[in-house]
Amino acid sequence: MKLNPELSRKPTSNNARKNCFRAIDEFILIVQDPEIRPLVEQDSKSLQQLLPEIPFWIKNPDYDRLDWMNKFIEYMWPYLDKAICKMAKKIAEPIIAEQIPKYKIDSVDFQALTLGCLPPTFQGMKVYNTEEKELIMELSLKWAANPNILVAAKAFGLKATVQVVDLQVFASPRITLKPLVPSFPCFANIYVSLMEKPHVDFGVKLLGADAMSIPGVYRIVQELIKTQVANMYLWPKRLEVQIMDPAKAMKKPVGILNVKVVRAIKLKKKDLLGASDPYVKLKLTDDKLPSKKTTVKHKNLNPEWNEEFTFVIKDPETQVLEFTVYDWEQVGSHDKMGLNQIPLKDLTPEEPKIMTLDLLKNLKPDDIQNEKSRGQIVIEANYKPFKDNEVPSNVEDSDAIQKAPEGTPEGGGLLVITIHEAQDLEGKYHTNPSVRLLFRGEERKTKVVKKNRDPRWDEEFQFTLAEPPTNDRVHMEVVSHSRGMGLLHPKETLGYVDIYLSDVVSNKRINERYHLIDSKNGRIQIEMQWRTAS
């Protein structure tokens, strides 16, 4: 399509102006009524011009369409944006803090960090079939983003602000998941390589002006990025991200450990009335199960439990049994009274061993605080290896639900509620969150986390019930408390959620993330278990 040559010159007469307007009219008519021809009728030059715009799955039949993935990323992008930026900031800040003293810079801070509202799109994906335990994928990525990355640097009393905008990335990454293992997420490592040098384009605003518009700077930056990225990640070089230890992921159970918590001796007073309410938590390292717990012995400094627990062992040479004694509190967090551990390699197979161990402040061998007496605990342990590599059918699975302790009412059970964490909390006046739990008129509270929009509590609450709570619900309210005088706004609600317990009773365990009501973006992760004696 050719336009009137008069369009390229400034009109200098009435005839020239008429020719210019006539050419514009011709152009409008061409756009309104375009000429459409099949690709087979196009000449080679026209095809070359169209080639970059044709989706990769059309140009190469080995590549599959990824419309479903693009739609998924489009819906998930607001959350992926926050997660990616949070991870990038977490990685970058320690590196910046380490480097800035070398250049005599006072500070470098992210004033804004968002990737914008435009997600990347994948033009196609090819999957390779190999004889190895691996999955290889090659993708065609195009991303024209509108990020807002604002970095402020202070040095010698001056402040400079740099803004990165208008990001454009074209790349062909190869993603390899290997080795494939029989433990979720079913692969141990992620390897990422680039099959060709990527195209990266962006704008850099310094003092309000685009630094990339300076003659020669754009080409230098482009070549520098391509060279540095190629040196690091151009195939066969690759970025490796370890998800799990493949050796441990492939290991199968080799035995069981029977543990009996017998008693504790001369525990220290924690309550104001001169007593304590002790219980014991037991945890096996490299085990995905939550900690196992004894019952609470109220107002007793020499409690006797005689309670037995079973653990599945995968590596007796490295695994350790950890146990901690807590003082139970009806409201607030439970106080730690002492801890210790038993390496499994110290146990002789098939020989029960009774041990009386001192309770320590921590597991640091040279800490003088461990010299203070905190009482003792008596543990009986017996490691039984499997014979002929056969796992008995009655061995507890790693995802199995623990049984309710002795003394649980017949027909009833133990409701265990674990409040893990929350994200994107936002208070109008302050954000010092804690969780208030209401169940059957009883109130429990977590600890307060100061000045944190993404707090983590990992606190557990237990309710012994005479019947299953099929028709009950739990009310969870996230509350922020003022840390100062706070006379005007001492407390405010950051959101709440009501959880019905019928699913917990039928499924035995649920672990979900809930959106908080009356909160803009707040979410809370709650795990609940219904344990019975059967």
Side-chain angles (χ1 to χ4, degrees), residues 373-384:
S373 175
R374 290 177 170 79
Q376 296 177 313
I377 188 169
V378 180
I379 301 286
E380 181 179 346
N382 185 13
Y383 170 56
K384 298 180 179 180

Side-chain angles (χ1 to χ4, degrees), residues 414-432:
L414 186 70
L415 176 64
V416 181
I417 301 176
T418 305
I419 303 174
H420 286 295
E421 61 181 358
Q423 292 86 31
D424 296 326
L425 302 179
E426 186 173 358
K428 186 176 181 181
Y429 304 102
H430 41 74
T431 306
N432 305 306

Side-chain angles (χ1 to χ4, degrees), residues 191-210:
Y191 301 94
V192 181
S193 299
L194 295 174
M195 303 312 294
E196 58 187 38
K197 290 185 179 181
H199 168 79
V200 181
D201 190 9
F202 56 89
V204 178
K205 290 187 177 181
L206 183 62
L207 302 177
D210 191 350

Side-chain angles (χ1 to χ4, degrees), residues 192-306:
V192 181
S193 299
L194 295 174
M195 303 312 294
E196 58 187 38
K197 290 185 179 181
H199 168 79
V200 181
D201 190 9
F202 56 89
V204 178
K205 290 187 177 181
L206 183 62
L207 302 177
D210 191 350
M212 300 297 285
S213 62
I214 301 174
V217 170
Y218 175 79
R219 183 179 296 275
I220 293 173
V221 172
Q222 276 286 314
E223 291 302 319
L224 182 62
I225 291 175
K226 289 182 181 180
T227 303
Q228 291 300 319
V229 172
N231 289 340
M232 291 187 293
Y233 304 126
L234 194 62
W235 194 86
K237 297 179 181 179
R238 60 191 183 182
L239 168 68
E240 179 179 352
V241 180
Q242 187 176 70
I243 304 301
M244 64 176 74
D245 187 342
K248 293 181 179 179
M250 296 296 290
K251 284 185 177 178
K252 297 180 179 180
V254 296
I256 59 175
L257 175 68
N258 294 321
V259 179
K260 184 177 182 180
V261 181
V262 182
R263 70 177 71 89
I265 306 168
K266 295 182 180 179
L267 298 178
K268 297 303 176 184
K269 301 175 183 178
K270 288 288 185 180
D271 297 342
L272 295 176
L273 299 179
S276 294
D277 305 311
Y279 69 93
V280 184
K281 272 188 176 182
L282 300 97
K283 177 70 175 176
L284 190 67
T285 56
D286 297 329
D287 192 351
K288 295 180 181 179
L289 268 176
S291 299
K292 301 189 178 186
K293 296 171 58 175
T294 67
T295 54
V296 178
K297 300 297 182 181
H298 294 282
K299 302 185 183 303
N300 198 330
L301 299 180
N302 296 280
E304 291 194 14
W305 287 285
N306 292 311

Side-chain angles (χ1 to χ4, degrees), residues 289-355:
L289 268 176
S291 299
K292 301 189 178 186
K293 296 171 58 175
T294 67
T295 54
V296 178
K297 300 297 182 181
H298 294 282
K299 302 185 183 303
N300 198 330
L301 299 180
N302 296 280
E304 291 194 14
W305 287 285
N306 292 311
E307 297 180 19
E308 297 183 4
F309 304 90
T310 300
F311 297 88
V312 178
I313 306 301
K314 292 185 177 181
D315 189 354
E317 292 298 317
T318 61
Q319 288 185 291
V320 174
L321 177 67
E322 301 173 344
F323 52 88
T324 308
V325 181
Y326 286 90
D327 176 35
W328 180 85
E329 297 290 346
Q330 185 171 0
V331 179
S333 60
H334 300 176
D335 294 331
K336 186 184 295 184
M337 303 181 72
L339 54 85
N340 211 319
Q341 63 180 15
I342 302 174
L344 299 192
K345 64 181 180 180
D346 294 345
L347 300 177
T348 302
E350 302 288 357
E351 291 186 11
K353 185 176 183 180
I354 299 178
M355 293 162 281

Side-chain angles (χ1 to χ4, degrees), residues 75 77-79 81-82 86 421-427 453-455 478 493-496 513-525:
Y75 287 139
W77 185 245
Y79 307 98
D81 176 23
K82 291 184 179 179
K86 186 184 294 184
E421 61 181 358
Q423 292 86 31
D424 296 326
L425 302 179
E426 186 173 358
R453 295 185 59 192
D454 303 301
V478 183
T493 299
L494 307 183
Y496 71 93
R513 199 177 298 273
Y514 300 89
H515 287 273
L516 291 170
I517 300 172
D518 290 345
S519 175
K520 185 177 180 181
N521 298 308
R523 303 179 305 283
I524 187 169
Q525 183 181 351

